Amino acid sequence: MSTEEKSLHFIEQIIEDSLTNGFPKDKLRFRFPPEPNGYLHIGHAKSICLNFGLGLKYNAPVNLRFDDTNPAKEEQEYVDAIKEDVKWLGFNWSEELYSSDYFQQLYEWAVEMIKNGKAYVDSQTSEEMATQKGTPTQPGVDGPFRSRSVQENLDLFEAMKRGDYPEGSHVLRAKIDMKSTNMLMRDPLMYRILHRHHHRTGYNWNIYPMYDYAHGESDYVEQISHSICTLEFVMHRELYNWFLDQIYDNNRVRPHQYEFARLNLNYTVMSKRKLLQLVQENIVHGWDDPRMPTISGLRRRGYTATSIRKFCDIIGVAKRENIIDYSLLEFCLREDLNKIAPRVMAVLDPIKLVISNYPDDLEEWLDAENNQEDETSGYRKVPFSRELYIEREDFLEDAPAKFFRLSLGREVRLKNAYIIKGESVIKDQTGNITEIYATYDVDSKSGSGNEASTRKVAGTLHWVSIKHAIETEVRLYDRLFIDEAPDSHKEKNFLEFINPNSLEVIKGYVEPTLAEAKPGEKFQFQRLGYFNVDNDSTSEKIVFNKTVGLKDAWEEKGKKEENLLMNTQKEINKYVKEKEENNALLILHAIVENIVSIDNYSLLVNTIVKNIKNDSNSLLFSNLILQHSKKVKFKDIEEDLLTKLYSMSLRSQLAEVRISAITNLQNDSHNYSLFETQLSDLKISEKNEKVLQLIADRKI
């Protein structure tokens, strides 16, 4: 096997095998078939890159086909957005097609199936059909209308087409096998009645084909050779082939369906229904909100097409589902932006810096490198003056030894400018610093070649000249959800995991070279991260979106929370052993504060579960998390595990465990009654006054 063959993913290998077995290369044809019922998201980007990538690799046409068979949910807005997204990602389709192009052909094939005894009109309610269809372990039974005559079926189907019947009164079903082990083969629906406006056909049709019927037949009309779907369609393949069997002509290409694992990304949701809910409930500001995982949202936030294609290439094409870390997507973005984004200076939390020995009337225009990663990017001129803005966090009046920024008596370099030394500060009535005064070394100008200019100092700060700075609106975006899998938790609404700090709007100041920046242009704000100009920008006000930080803040936060929880558990032992009550209360207060500060729901739940074991300190830790965390509720813990926690805790030799467990039970009305007998027994044998008081507070 050659090196190239080893690098092929399994879909490419299937195609290579087809060619080896005699399939003509000029008959290869692929398609990307979105349903226009929402905006495309990052998961669709993987499918786009796969299908159009195959077209490029094999020099084969790729159709963009809209599977528009449900007028209740589909709109022209979505069609236009999908086309824009595909083009922006860098791909061109061979033909723009629609399943609605084939409505007449699909109808005629359905009529032929009725004539051949392969389809019938069913007049049961949806509930009756669901019951009649059986279960995965129980075969279905024939419905009362399965034996209708061919003529009656033809007449009913024609009347359905004319619009004679209301929605839900009749459906057309394929007549296959009600006892099939594959429930999708138990006489699936082919057509339903919908008196709705279609974005292309208007009110010409009153019946619309189901996806499973239209999809494979549309592939056949277009002569698609390899129909590539995601893994949830594995069970649909048998039905896909059955429908093709009814119309297949040996002289034409027969499509074959193959399945790959879709993209699952943590800290987000991929369901169009849930994304639509976010839009409709105004949790986000539209489908292209920069917090959304939609391609349009990512584009508006500042993502590049190159970074998304690179991301899809890295994760590859697999047969097994897995969850990809959002950090990988951000890594691909940083890698691309690092090469192409010009470096500029911006201050987002400004404090005034006055260089006291710099002349009042002097103004210099200094050389600043545009991008050290790109030798051809050249230099720009930035203005320097006596009064500057620097970041508030870059100054401490009394700094520790490892603070490598500005403080009184210490030196730092101003980027592209001079070395300065902190001298004094001015404070307001509440003690907040409002101005910093510093002196500069006249001979230390960057690039001057003077000996002073090569002096090493602790750090380098970015800045903007106050009288030249442009005031801007800056939107600091963060992940929309605080949980890794917000829609995976039983009995919890995914909206409970919305990050309340996913958007912060602030006022910032940027260097004057950005006065003419256009929407979509991307920059690195030095030391702060990557930003792009938002579509809301006007000639009067520039709006910047934070695209991504220079470092992975979420990975750092995750590690910090894990370490904090681990260290907090160690404090439990100190708390239990502390004899002096006031000291014990201080330790407990710190433990509770740490628990409350942790946002990671999954981390908290997993820690509770992991500590349900016959160890008093572990049981106390689980109870304290359950008692004090605002992220976890009683119902979030599996009932048998929660019962085990209470039962073991009430038998614990450590009074603090019993106290915490009883407190939780008294707040957990669902489970309290289950432990009334155990609490009554405990009341008789208990010697700890706090435990007895807690039991007495709620009469058994």
Side-chain angles (χ1 to χ4, degrees), residues 107 110 114 153-161 172 191 207:
Y107 170 76
I114 293 173
N153 284 319
L154 289 172
D155 292 343
L156 282 168
F157 191 46
E158 180 62 27
M160 289 165 60
K161 178 176 178 288
L172 183 71
Y191 274 90
I207 54 172

Side-chain angles (χ1 to χ4, degrees), residues 349-616:
D349 184 16
I351 188 169
K352 185 177 181 180
L353 171 70
V354 180
I355 305 175
S356 56
N357 63 332
Y358 194 88
D360 285 343
D361 57 351
L362 182 59
E363 180 180 297
E364 294 181 78
W365 289 80
L366 307 175
D367 288 327
E369 194 174 16
N370 287 325
N371 188 345
Q372 63 268 33
E373 299 293 324
D374 180 5
E375 294 179 358
T376 65
S377 64
Y379 289 79
R380 69 191 186 284
K381 294 287 187 180
V382 292
F384 186 83
S385 62
R386 186 174 187 267
E387 296 184 348
L388 311 171
Y389 283 135
I390 64 170
E391 294 289 345
R392 189 172 298 274
E393 68 173 16
D394 281 343
F395 177 80
L396 279 180
E397 186 176 5
D398 184 17
K402 292 188 177 181
F403 184 75
F404 300 122
R405 286 168 277 180
L406 184 62
S407 62
L408 298 183
R410 292 193 192 178
E411 290 185 324
V412 293
R413 174 172 290 284
L414 295 176
K415 181 73 174 174
N416 307 309
Y418 297 94
I419 292 174
I420 61 170
K421 182 179 180 180
E423 300 290 354
S424 63
V425 297
I426 294 178
K427 299 181 181 180
D428 61 18
Q429 293 179 343
T430 60
N432 294 316
I433 297 173
T434 57
E435 293 184 24
I436 304 163
Y437 280 79
T439 54
Y440 84 117
D441 183 341
V442 180
D443 296 324
S444 65
K445 184 176 179 180
S446 294
S448 65
N450 295 333
E451 183 178 348
S453 70
T454 61
R455 280 199 296 119
K456 300 297 181 183
V457 290
T460 301
L461 308 184
H462 62 278
W463 51 272
V464 291
S465 168
I466 291 179
K467 71 177 181 179
H468 301 93
I470 298 174
E471 182 181 311
T472 67
E473 178 180 310
V474 182
R475 298 171 182 173
L476 302 176
Y477 290 104
D478 205 342
R479 296 186 187 177
L480 187 57
F481 296 97
I482 58 174
D483 188 76
E484 291 187 9
D487 57 352
S488 68
H489 305 289
K490 294 179 181 178
E491 299 182 10
K492 282 190 83 72
N493 189 320
F494 76 104
L495 296 179
E496 293 182 44
F497 298 107
I498 290 291
N499 179 4
N501 302 312
S502 64
L503 171 60
E504 180 185 2
V505 181
I506 63 172
K507 180 171 68 176
Y509 295 90
V510 299
E511 64 178 66
T513 59
L514 295 175
E516 303 299 322
K518 299 294 189 295
E521 290 188 330
K522 299 161 179 57
F523 302 91
Q524 183 195 101
F525 288 1
Q526 290 183 316
R527 300 178 64 232
L528 297 175
Y530 294 98
F531 293 74
N532 83 310
V533 184
D534 187 75
N535 302 339
D536 289 341
S537 292
T538 65
S539 56
E540 289 77 31
K541 183 181 75 171
I542 304 176
V543 179
F544 283 98
N545 297 327
K546 182 176 182 180
T547 306
V548 67
L550 295 176
K551 295 181 180 179
D552 188 348
W554 272 82
E555 183 180 5
E556 290 181 9
K557 181 182 178 183
K559 288 179 179 177
K560 283 181 180 177
E561 289 197 338
E562 286 181 20
N563 290 335
L564 179 61
L565 206 55
M566 187 166 53
N567 291 330
T568 302
Q569 186 163 9
K570 293 177 182 176
E571 294 297 304
I572 294 285
N573 190 47
K574 291 182 184 178
Y575 166 65
V576 169
K577 290 184 175 180
E578 179 58 54
K579 302 299 183 185
E580 210 284 309
E581 185 174 1
N582 286 335
N583 290 341
L585 287 174
L586 287 173
I587 296 171
L588 179 60
H589 180 72
I591 289 171
V592 171
E593 274 195 336
N594 289 346
I595 289 171
V596 170
S597 73
I598 292 173
D599 289 326
N600 191 323
Y601 168 83
S602 297
L603 175 63
L604 290 165
V605 170
N606 292 336
T607 302
I608 290 172
V609 171
K610 186 173 65 176
N611 283 281
I612 300 175
K613 55 188 178 182
N614 195 20
D615 173 78
S616 292

Side-chain angles (χ1 to χ4, degrees), residues 152-185:
E152 185 180 4
N153 284 319
L154 289 172
D155 292 343
L156 282 168
F157 191 46
E158 180 62 27
M160 289 165 60
K161 178 176 178 288
R162 284 196 307 267
D164 294 352
Y165 299 113
E167 294 183 8
S169 57
H170 303 287
V171 294
L172 183 71
R173 296 177 71 175
K175 188 184 287 188
I176 307 179
D177 180 6
M178 291 302 296
K179 294 180 175 56
S180 173
T181 55
N182 182 351
M183 289 193 67
L184 294 171
M185 300 298 287

Side-chain angles (χ1 to χ4, degrees), residues 51-323:
N51 282 289
F52 283 95
L54 291 172
L56 291 171
K57 179 179 176 68
Y58 292 101
N59 194 28
V62 183
N63 293 342
L64 175 61
R65 182 181 76 237
F66 293 94
D67 279 335
D68 55 344
T69 61
N70 185 1
K73 296 183 178 180
E74 296 158 356
E75 299 176 19
Q76 185 62 40
E77 174 192 351
Y78 299 141
V79 171
D80 296 338
I82 289 168
K83 289 162 63 176
E84 182 181 2
D85 288 345
V86 174
K87 286 180 180 177
W88 178 75
L89 280 172
F91 299 109
N92 295 305
W93 50 88
S94 175
E95 295 183 73
E96 179 183 325
L97 301 168
Y98 298 80
S99 290
S100 55
D101 294 337
Y102 318 131
F103 278 177
Q104 183 61 37
Q105 176 66 82
L106 293 169
Y107 170 76
E108 291 173 5
W109 278 334
V111 169
E112 286 302 309
M113 288 175 62
I114 293 173
K115 291 178 179 179
N116 294 331
K118 297 295 182 69
Y120 64 96
V121 174
D122 195 336
S123 306
Q124 297 179 91
T125 65
S126 57
E127 293 79 12
E128 289 170 336
M129 280 187 276
T131 301
Q132 170 241 339
K133 206 167 184 178
T135 67
T137 58
Q138 181 181 358
V141 296
D142 291 353
F145 302 104
R146 199 173 194 266
S147 58
R148 272 177 167 154
S149 68
V150 169
Q151 191 58 51
E152 185 180 4
N153 284 319
L154 289 172
D155 292 343
L156 282 168
F157 191 46
E158 180 62 27
M160 289 165 60
K161 178 176 178 288
R162 284 196 307 267
D164 294 352
Y165 299 113
E167 294 183 8
S169 57
H170 303 287
V171 294
L172 183 71
R173 296 177 71 175
K175 188 184 287 188
I176 307 179
D177 180 6
M178 291 302 296
K179 294 180 175 56
S180 173
T181 55
N182 182 351
M183 289 193 67
L184 294 171
M185 300 298 287
R186 296 180 187 177
D187 291 9
L189 271 60
M190 292 176 61
Y191 274 90
R192 76 285 208 198
I193 299 170
L194 288 173
H195 302 304
R196 310 290 179 93
H197 180 271
H198 189 278
H199 70 103
R200 295 187 72 244
T201 63
Y203 290 102
N204 291 344
W205 290 87
N206 296 295
I207 54 172
Y208 288 89
M210 301 299 291
Y211 177 86
D212 274 331
Y213 172 56
H215 182 73
E217 313 299 77
S218 298
D219 283 346
Y220 181 63
V221 172
E222 295 173 20
Q223 290 292 273
I224 301 302
S225 59
H226 295 74
S227 178
I228 302 166
C229 305
T230 46
L231 282 180
E232 62 263 36
F233 290 98
V234 168
M235 295 299 291
H236 295 248
R237 193 196 312 161
E238 185 179 2
L239 181 56
Y240 180 96
N241 289 329
W242 187 89
F243 279 129
L244 284 177
D245 288 341
Q246 312 313 310
I247 61 171
Y248 177 58
D249 179 341
N250 287 329
N251 296 317
R252 306 194 73 204
V253 170
R254 180 182 177 118
H256 289 275
Q257 177 179 305
Y258 304 97
E259 306 86 15
F260 71 101
R262 66 180 179 179
L263 170 60
N264 296 301
L265 198 64
N266 64 4
Y267 289 103
T268 190
V269 294
M270 294 295 202
S271 159
K272 278 187 184 177
R273 177 179 59 80
K274 290 175 180 174
L275 293 176
L276 178 61
Q277 186 179 348
L278 291 171
V279 174
Q280 290 178 333
E281 296 185 17
N282 296 317
I283 294 166
V284 295
H285 305 139
W287 286 95
D288 68 342
D289 188 297
R291 294 166 291 179
M292 290 278 273
T294 54
I295 296 174
S296 57
L298 294 169
R299 178 168 64 244
R300 185 171 179 181
R301 183 156 174 171
Y303 274 75
T304 64
T306 299
S307 66
I308 294 176
R309 292 198 306 269
K310 178 67 173 178
F311 172 68
C312 293
D313 182 54
I314 289 175
I315 62 177
V317 181
K319 294 182 180 181
R320 295 179 60 184
E321 296 279 6
N322 61 339
I323 298 175

